[in-house]
Amino acid sequence: MSKPITPSQYLAKSFGLTSNQLERVLGIAIGSRDKGAFADIYFQVGVTEGLVYDQGILKNPSRSDVSGAGVRTVIGDKTGYSYTDHVNVTNLAKAARNAATIAQHTGSVPPIQVGPDRAQHNLYPTAGILIGLPLPEKVDLLIRIDREARKFDPRIKNVTVSLSIQEETVVIVTSLGDLILDRRPLVRLGVSCLAEEGNRRETGSSSGGGRVDFEFFLEDERWKKHALKAAQEAIGLLSAVPAPAGEMTVVLGNGWPGVLIHEAVGHGLEGDFNRKGTSAFSKMMGEKVASPLCTIIDDGTVPGRRGSLNIDDEGVATGNTVLIEKGVLKGYLQDRTNGGLMRSGSTGNGRRESYRHVPMPRMTNTYLAGGESTPEEIIRSVKRGIYAVTFGGGQVDITNGDYTFSATSAILIEDGKLTSAVKGATLIGNGPKSLHNVSMVGNDMALDEGTGTCGKRGQSVPVGVGMPTIRIDGVTVGGTSR
Amino acid sequence: MNDKNRLEVLAQFIIGEARRLGASDSDVSISTWSSVDTTVRLGEVEKLESAAEGRALTVRVFLGKVMTSASTSDFRRQSLTKLVRYTITLAKAAQPDEFVGLPDKEDLAALVPDLDLYDPITAKLSVADKVTMAKACEDAARGLDPRITNSQGASFSDSHGLTVYANSQGFVGSYTGSRCSLSCSVVAQQGDSMQTDGWYNANRKLGGLGDPQVIGRIAAERVLRRLGATRGKSQDCPVVFDPVMAAQLLGQVAGVAHGGSIYRRTSFLVDKLGEQIACPELTVLDDGLIPGGLGSRPFNGEGQASRQRTFIEDGRLNGYFLDSYAARKLGTKPNGGSQSNLYIKPGTKTPEEIIASVKNGLYLTHVSGPGFNGVTGDYSRGASGIWIENGELAYPVQEITIAGNVLEMLKSIEAIGNDLEFRSSVASPTLKIGSMMIAGA
């Protein structure tokens, strides 16, 4: 294997930029140095290949190339930002001049804090061979998935399989002297099945992936599990009855239902909302915000995970941040700006959708740590409630703390036993209050399959969530039956 | 040469390259833009974000009945030739699909009408002008009431863009457009209750935004009325959707009326063409030709002329949104593809009259979570709003859910307001839905 390319070599090769030119651009962005400004340039070069196998046909194989850079000037809590889709020294200088105009609107402030000096990670394969893989090999897998799902039940009338393969390189240059490169692979496989019986139609879906090679889907026959899960959900829903409405005990399965943690707690603990005092969790540091069974962690360093990164999008090595320990609020997620202003430093959670966007504190892989109970014990303990395993997404109002997350299907629990399948329903709760009602935590903690995308202020980033099986009492379930 | 000519020439270059390298057909969409977002928080400039020369290009290549596509922001001719070559290689490995192809020639727009989509004034505004507007907006919100204790800021955003489409049948068209918006979001506190809310306006033209102070005041009024919200009780009752919520519901319904959902049969609107799917008073129109409309366009992404379409007429489902692929697949004619300016035809009742008609029910102002199953029409979402008692807005509620089935909801619409306003490309007046299931305390 050849020696890995250095960041400077990469910028020279891709854009013909020299280190003198980079210095000059950063110099423009910083402006007159007496204001304590911080500046960085974020370069991004990526290719995404998309394949969709739908109704028995490979549809519209597509490729999307991304290449550009954003220049940022930060002075205290003020940010100037400008990007270019056409990287050369002239356009970078222009972007830097645009970013630097923020200085006209600020007084001088103490310099921003440097990120913690952490060891570099090497969390994912960086050889860069994903896109080069011959098309037929990938299409073959999609066809196998289609067949497997249809084989599950003749009522499966359509299968849509999508595969997205992304290879991306980012280079971050900062006025603090950082010059870092990260190669980031990201693959995702999605299966959606349509089941039809009489005039009833239902869909089921399953997806997964991560910062891994294509081989990942072949290992442990993961592809087959997705096919079966999607088919099973669609068929199961054909006979589902309306979900109940009102407050009840809910048992959540392990893995993806961790979206609860992401919405109920994760967003509310992002540094920007807490610095500004707009989060329902503002000023609650050190207080009890959950049952003592709850320990919640954001970990950007789990190898190969969708939410993992070697460095965040500000060049800071990602970390493992305890947000809640045994029910007590312990930490926030910080980027350079908010961590600096709150005097705690970055936690390696400064992320952005692309070079067209300003970074902000974001989650990586956020999960509730495992407990003592077995999943069987937890289900057995419930007299009447629902057991929800498959979920869509969720949403939260940061300020009043209300969060929702939507089950796509569930099973009734009656006298400790799983009985009939019920349709999907939205679950709603209040972040700082509802986790006090977590009454049992399972010993089967798992991260999700690698499918989540989180949206905040119009920016999407890939994330992971996780959870063991848990029991929560008094959750409001938004069904239609009394 | 101006941008328009330069990009039209570039598009034709790509089509020429595709033909030269063996494609039977091809088309190219190009967009370029500039944008500035100016954010003020607590009376000071917080963020200035800009794009000077944003650009993106998508090429679709057809090799008989195989289609592949690629997009890039690298406009160098040499890179584009490489991209086209790659796309053709990809096509050679793909499979044919009998319905794939460019639109029929007679469906292409014969001329590019001027729809008044561009306002030169915003491009000439200085940062100081924009800061002044954002400040005026935030100040008006913060100054309205001492219970407004914090702010998430006010932003003025403007963008200007050029859209070019060309295909190998000889179509070349382009148009410019602009958009500006002013938004404000503030936080109010009273005792233990902390709430946030905001308001915005968006328009093609600066003159259409209205007074910044009005936007600020509405933002403040919206957040103040949420203070002290309690949980509503579980019950069946009428729900009045405010215009923002009604437009969101309309967007969800239209979202499953697109060709892809219909031919895949993953929509509750499948097999319902011509059927009564809503109350007879409901008519939904889509009009891509409204002068200055936020969703207006002289032609769509395939070069087809925009037109006025009736999506739902007197409660009957009148049509789907079909591009040429979906139309061929469904054995019918394309009708202009995706939605443009989609709206519910206003009724005669004022919102006050509608609220007054409810003895006990919910005035819905916020929903959250995905909670909508387009295949079955099942709808279950987190909600908050104002409880209506004896025809009056009585007290705020939160942490509840509303649920029903969209088909039943549309059929049980009991009133359509006269308060239609466009602040996005999907708009609706106030709607009263006869009955939904509320889950709460």
Side-chain angles (χ1 to χ4, degrees):
Chain A
M1 213 174 107
S2 61
K3 227 171 101 186
I5 193 165
T6 69
S8 318
Q9 285 165 345
Y10 186 84
L11 293 179
K13 186 182 128 239
S14 304
F15 305 114
L17 293 168
T18 65
S19 51
N20 280 343
Q21 289 171 330
L22 292 175
E23 286 282 312
R24 213 183 93 215
V25 172
L26 282 173
I28 297 170
I30 284 280
S32 58
R33 287 179 179 269
D34 52 2
K35 284 204 168 178
F38 165 86
D40 62 4
I41 317 174
Y42 180 86
F43 295 91
Q44 182 187 9
V45 177
V47 183
T48 306
E49 185 183 78
L51 299 176
V52 178
Y53 191 81
D54 180 33
Q55 302 191 304
I57 300 171
L58 178 72
K59 275 207 183 123
N60 184 15
S62 66
R63 171 192 168 113
S64 167
D65 286 41
V66 163
S67 170
V71 184
R72 177 170 65 142
T73 303
V74 183
I75 303 175
D77 61 352
K78 312 205 184 314
T79 302
Y81 194 80
S82 187
Y83 71 81
T84 174
D85 289 322
H86 180 196
V87 178
N88 59 35
V89 71
T90 315
N91 288 346
L92 284 176
K94 199 150 105 188
R97 274 193 296 276
N98 285 339
T101 56
I102 193 71
Q104 297 158 14
H105 303 278
T106 60
S108 72
V109 291
I112 197 154
Q113 285 194 10
V114 186
D117 204 6
R118 293 209 185 103
Q120 284 277 315
H121 312 301
N122 187 10
L123 302 171
Y124 28 81
T126 52
I129 49 140
L130 290 169
I131 303 283
L133 200 70
L135 195 58
E137 205 168 310
K138 293 178 258 194
V139 176
D140 181 59
L141 179 73
L142 305 189
I143 295 173
R144 276 155 73 196
I145 291 170
D146 176 282
R147 291 203 182 128
E148 192 68 31
R150 287 177 195 268
K151 211 170 71 187
F152 178 77
D153 193 298
R155 289 172 292 174
I156 299 288
K157 299 297 182 196
N158 188 33
V159 183
T160 306
V161 194
S162 60
L163 176 67
S164 155
I165 296 181
Q166 188 179 82
E167 285 184 316
E168 194 171 271
T169 301
V170 305
V171 177
I172 297 160
V173 192
T174 76
S175 57
L176 301 170
D178 305 299
L179 177 57
I180 310 175
L181 177 147
D182 193 21
R183 272 180 193 269
R184 300 170 173 174
L186 187 65
V187 299
R188 187 177 187 279
L189 176 73
V191 185
S192 171
C193 291
L194 173 76
E196 230 175 322
E197 186 174 35
N199 54 10
R200 196 149 169 187
R201 280 191 309 275
E202 295 283 354
T203 50
S205 60
S206 179
S207 54
R211 299 193 184 280
V212 291
D213 288 328
F214 177 74
E215 300 297 312
F216 175 80
F217 299 117
L218 307 176
E219 286 162 19
D220 305 325
E221 296 200 307
R222 281 194 180 91
W223 63 274
K224 204 184 242 180
K225 288 176 195 159
H226 288 302
L228 292 176
K229 221 165 117 186
Q232 220 158 17
E233 187 187 4
I235 295 295
L237 277 168
L238 283 176
S239 54
V241 298
E247 260 188 14
M248 65 196 71
T249 294
V250 173
V251 176
L252 300 170
N254 68 349
W256 176 245
V259 68
L260 161 77
I261 301 302
H262 178 101
E263 302 297 351
V265 176
H267 278 296
L269 297 181
E270 288 166 342
D272 44 355
F273 301 122
N274 288 282
R275 173 176 66 80
K276 295 175 183 176
T278 57
S279 165
F281 287 99
S282 298
K283 304 191 184 89
M284 291 181 86
M285 190 59 81
E287 284 183 33
K288 245 183 123 280
V289 295
S291 109
L293 297 171
C294 295
T295 291
I296 294 171
I297 290 161
D298 182 85
D299 188 355
T301 69
V302 192
R305 281 283 159 182
R306 184 173 163 87
S308 296
L309 290 171
N310 290 327
I311 50 166
D312 72 2
D313 296 322
E314 297 185 302
V316 178
T318 52
N320 181 311
T321 306
V322 177
L323 299 173
I324 291 173
E325 191 175 12
K326 296 189 172 131
V328 177
L329 181 56
K330 289 281 177 182
Y332 296 129
L333 298 172
Q334 298 288 13
D335 61 2
R336 284 186 193 263
T337 309
N338 291 287
L341 291 163
M342 291 178 83
R343 304 269 161 227
S344 60
S346 169
T347 53
N349 288 82
R351 303 185 62 189
R352 56 177 119 199
E353 180 176 314
S354 79
Y355 65 88
R356 288 179 179 158
H357 301 89
V358 179
M360 55 185 158
R362 300 298 293 262
M363 286 173 259
T364 58
N365 305 295
T366 316
Y367 65 91
L368 175 70
E372 309 277 314
S373 309
T374 66
E376 296 73 26
E377 269 167 15
I378 297 176
I379 292 167
R380 243 193 340 258
S381 75
V382 178
K383 183 142 178 49
R384 186 181 143 74
I386 65 164
Y387 174 58
V389 201
T390 58
F391 278 85
Q395 196 178 334
V396 62
D397 179 324
I398 300 295
T399 305
N400 68 24
D402 280 2
Y403 66 88
T404 52
F405 62 125
S406 294
T408 52
S409 65
I411 306 172
L412 276 184
I413 310 176
E414 290 166 300
D415 292 325
K417 288 193 189 71
L418 298 176
T419 57
S420 38
V422 294
K423 289 182 166 210
T426 286
L427 277 52
I428 189 164
N430 186 273
K433 293 180 194 148
S434 66
L435 292 191
H436 288 291
N437 298 333
V438 172
S439 54
M440 290 175 94
V441 174
N443 58 7
D444 57 341
M445 154 57 202
L447 292 175
D448 72 294
E449 299 282 340
T451 184
T453 297
C454 166
K456 175 177 172 186
R457 292 181 192 271
Q459 289 194 43
S460 297
V461 296
V463 294
V465 297
M467 194 162 76
T469 300
I470 65 166
R471 171 183 159 148
I472 317 187
D473 302 310
V475 178
T476 300
V477 178
T480 52
S481 97
R482 291 305 289 266
Chain B
M1 218 173 5
N2 64 23
D3 262 11
K4 176 177 144 72
N5 290 335
R6 195 169 53 82
L7 293 176
E8 286 187 3
V9 168
L10 187 71
Q12 284 164 317
F13 164 77
I14 296 167
I15 286 163
E17 285 299 87
R19 186 176 297 125
R20 184 175 68 83
L21 295 166
S24 48
D25 265 315
S26 64
D27 69 359
V28 180
S29 304
I30 303 179
S31 57
T32 61
W33 65 89
S34 63
S35 68
V36 182
D37 297 337
T38 308
T39 304
V40 164
R41 179 171 176 263
L42 300 176
E44 288 183 41
V45 174
E46 182 185 50
K47 210 157 57 177
L48 297 173
E49 288 178 74
S50 64
E53 288 158 22
R55 58 192 204 179
L57 173 161
T58 301
V59 53
R60 296 196 300 170
V61 160
F62 300 86
L63 227 65
K65 291 293 174 193
V66 176
M67 180 182 83
T68 55
S69 66
S71 62
T72 184
S73 60
D74 184 349
F75 282 22
R76 288 172 299 179
R77 291 198 168 202
Q78 190 189 336
S79 314
L80 290 169
T81 300
K82 236 168 91 182
L83 191 72
V84 170
R85 187 172 285 130
Y86 177 88
T87 314
I88 289 173
T89 314
L90 204 60
K92 284 180 180 155
Q95 300 162 315
D97 178 346
E98 59 173 314
F99 303 109
V100 139
L102 289 177
D104 294 336
K105 212 166 173 178
E106 63 267 24
D107 290 330
L108 294 173
L111 69 161
V112 179
D114 179 2
L115 297 175
D116 199 18
L117 306 179
Y118 186 76
D119 179 12
I121 296 172
T122 44
K124 296 196 186 96
L125 289 174
S126 69
V127 172
D129 294 334
K130 298 173 191 180
V131 168
T132 304
M133 280 187 278
K135 269 189 182 162
C137 182
E138 198 201 32
D139 285 350
R142 291 175 66 208
L144 192 77
D145 192 292
R147 290 171 296 172
I148 297 188
T149 53
N150 201 343
S151 169
Q152 315 223 51
S155 294
F156 181 88
S157 302
D158 63 296
S159 58
H160 313 267
L162 173 68
T163 304
V164 177
Y165 175 78
N167 70 23
S168 55
Q169 292 167 330
F171 181 92
V172 190
S174 62
Y175 60 94
T176 52
S178 60
R179 183 184 194 277
C180 56
S181 66
L182 183 58
S183 64
C184 177
S185 170
V186 284
V187 175
Q189 225 167 336
Q190 182 179 318
D192 280 348
S193 179
M194 181 161 75
Q195 298 287 350
T196 188
D197 209 339
W199 194 237
Y200 81 103
N201 202 358
N203 205 284
R204 293 274 185 186
K205 301 194 173 187
L206 184 65
L209 279 188
D211 184 351
Q213 297 192 350
V214 171
I215 296 170
R217 270 201 300 276
I218 296 174
E221 285 159 7
R222 284 175 63 89
V223 69
L224 289 169
R225 68 180 181 181
R226 299 187 78 181
L227 281 172
T230 52
R231 294 185 65 194
K233 298 218 167 9
S234 297
Q235 59 191 291
D236 258 314
C237 66
V239 177
V240 177
F241 281 56
D242 82 6
V244 177
M245 293 297 101
Q248 209 185 91
L249 177 65
L250 172 62
Q252 286 180 311
V253 174
V256 292
H258 285 253
S261 307
I262 304 305
Y263 69 69
R264 281 191 196 98
R265 300 181 63 75
T266 53
S267 165
F268 71 91
L269 296 175
V270 164
D271 302 334
K272 295 263 187 314
L273 215 53
E275 280 186 29
Q276 196 75 29
I277 61 159
C279 76
E281 287 74 31
L282 187 79
T283 291
V284 182
L285 302 164
D286 183 75
D287 186 352
L289 297 169
I290 297 176
L294 283 164
S296 297
R297 57 193 184 210
F299 53 82
N300 71 5
E302 294 187 299
Q304 293 158 332
S306 283
R307 57 176 95 182
Q308 292 159 309
R309 294 175 282 189
T310 308
F311 172 39
I312 298 173
E313 186 168 22
D314 302 330
R316 270 176 299 106
L317 179 63
N318 196 57
Y320 301 119
F321 299 99
L322 306 176
D323 59 15
S324 51
Y325 177 82
R328 281 188 205 113
K329 202 149 169 125
L330 293 165
T332 176
K333 293 283 287 173
N335 64 359
S338 60
Q339 69 208 48
S340 52
N341 296 297
L342 182 76
Y343 65 98
I344 290 177
K345 204 170 131 190
T348 52
K349 290 211 169 84
T350 64
E352 293 74 21
E353 284 170 339
I354 295 177
I355 291 164
S357 74
V358 177
K359 200 169 169 332
N360 174 57
L362 173 68
Y363 181 67
L364 180 72
T365 60
H366 295 81
V367 287
S368 81
F372 168 59
N373 182 338
V375 185
T376 57
D378 288 335
Y379 181 97
S380 164
R381 306 193 73 186
S384 66
I386 319 284
W387 202 262
I388 308 172
E389 265 179 0
N390 298 318
E392 279 176 28
L393 297 176
Y395 53 89
V397 288
Q398 68 175 61
E399 210 188 325
I400 55 173
T401 59
I402 55 169
N405 183 282
V406 170
L407 269 181
E408 285 158 28
M409 286 158 62
L410 293 176
K411 281 183 183 155
S412 76
I413 291 175
E414 290 179 356
I416 300 168
N418 63 359
D419 52 340
L420 177 71
E421 270 182 56
F422 279 94
R423 60 189 84 252
S424 94
S425 61
V426 182
S428 170
T430 300
L431 288 183
K432 176 186 173 188
I433 294 187
S435 175
M436 290 187 75
M437 184 73 210
I438 311 260

